[in-house]
Amino acid sequence: MITYYEMNFGWKRSCIEIEPNIDIIDYISYFKPFEHRRIPEDMIFRVKAFKKEYDIIGVYECMTIHMYSNGLIYVLNQFTDMSKYCYKINLSDVIKEYYVIYNLPTNRMINDKEFDCWMDNPSLGIPPIRFIIDENDYKVFSMDKRLSILVSEVVKQALKKAKITNVEFEEAYGYTPEEALEWARENPDLADDFADKAWFKKLLPK
């Protein structure tokens, strides 16, 4: 098992919140980190609330959508070519440039059921993301079905060294296929039913 980190919005006070000039259908889906589509070119953002330009900012009344500063993108670019995975938004009245992260490679979660248990009983505490590592050894990647962006230990340390603002990190755990099977056997009430899936069988040693 290898520890990775979910890169989260830090909820700093007075962080600017932005809003677009037009409405589009299925708006949130455009900001999923694995989404291949870009927002319309004529979409322009403006600052709706607050003043502080942190490195991660949110959208007004929809703070699950995040934009990322050029400083944060610069750090990520040291570990993966971000020209394929981000594009700049049109945002007026700010000093920093901000980007959407999209088109990221994904890994597969194996504990949706554990999150369902937490939703039914929040006192259990939010569980970590658990997923299966594939052979690509991504340093920056997303998770299927979620808005999460995950980074490796070395990327996390680089972000902290660069003093990137308004970011928090939550541990996530990557398993080899064999480790995932062992975890599922030990935690049948929390593990998803992935062992017989075709995508999983392709990952097992021949």
Side-chain angles (χ1 to χ4, degrees):
M1 185 185 76
I2 300 175
T3 301
Y4 291 81
Y5 299 90
E6 187 179 6
M7 187 175 69
N8 291 326
F9 183 80
W11 296 101
K12 288 280 191 182
R13 292 183 62 183
S14 301
C15 178
I16 61 172
E17 297 177 17
I18 64 176
E19 67 172 4
N21 64 327
I22 57 175
D23 293 324
I24 54 177
I25 298 173
D26 200 17
Y27 177 69
I28 292 179
S29 69
Y30 281 84
F31 298 94
K32 293 176 180 177
F34 52 83
E35 176 61 52
H36 300 301
R37 298 172 299 169
R38 295 189 178 204
I39 59 175
E41 292 185 0
D42 59 345
M43 181 173 283
I44 299 172
F45 292 86
R46 70 181 183 91
V47 176
K48 175 67 175 180
F50 306 114
K51 296 181 179 180
K52 291 190 177 180
E53 297 178 29
Y54 291 110
D55 289 305
I56 303 181
I57 62 174
V59 173
Y60 182 71
E61 294 186 340
C62 192
M63 295 298 283
T64 56
I65 297 176
H66 303 142
M67 311 294 180
Y68 304 88
S69 74
N70 52 330
L72 187 150
I73 297 297
Y74 175 81
V75 176
L76 298 184
N77 197 59
Q78 297 173 36
F79 302 95
T80 190
D81 181 6
M82 290 302 292
S83 64
K84 302 181 291 183
Y85 302 129
C86 72
Y87 59 91
K88 187 168 67 172
I89 63 170
N90 188 342
L91 174 59
S92 59
D93 301 321
V94 295
I95 297 173
K96 293 182 178 181
E97 296 177 346
Y98 286 94
Y99 293 76
V100 174
I101 292 179
Y102 82 129
N103 203 33
L104 285 179
T106 62
N107 281 314
R108 291 181 184 265
M109 279 184 63
I110 59 173
N111 68 323
D112 278 323
K113 192 186 294 185
E114 187 174 10
F115 276 85
D116 291 341
C117 291
W118 165 67
M119 291 290 289
D120 292 337
N121 187 0
S123 64
L124 294 173
I126 301 176
I129 289 174
R130 305 179 193 274
F131 64 95
I132 296 175
I133 304 169
D134 67 16
E135 68 277 5
N136 292 295
D137 189 29
Y138 300 124
K139 298 293 188 295
V140 182
F141 56 97
S142 59
M143 201 56 52
D144 64 318
K145 299 178 288 184
R146 297 184 68 85
L147 293 172
S148 304
I149 296 175
L150 280 79
V151 299
S152 65
E153 173 73 33
V154 66
V155 177
K156 172 200 167 188
Q157 294 302 329
L159 291 166
K160 293 180 73 171
K161 184 177 180 180
K163 298 182 179 179
I164 296 301
T165 57
N166 202 29
V167 60
E168 294 181 351
F169 299 99
E170 297 292 339
E171 289 189 355
Y173 303 122
Y175 298 81
T176 65
E178 297 85 354
E179 289 172 335
L181 284 174
E182 181 179 356
W183 179 80
R185 283 193 293 266
E186 293 174 351
N187 300 274
D189 294 334
L190 304 179
D192 300 338
D193 298 324
F194 59 85
D196 293 327
K197 302 294 185 183
W199 64 263
F200 179 75
K201 290 181 178 180
K202 290 179 180 179
L203 299 175
L204 293 170
K206 301 296 189 238

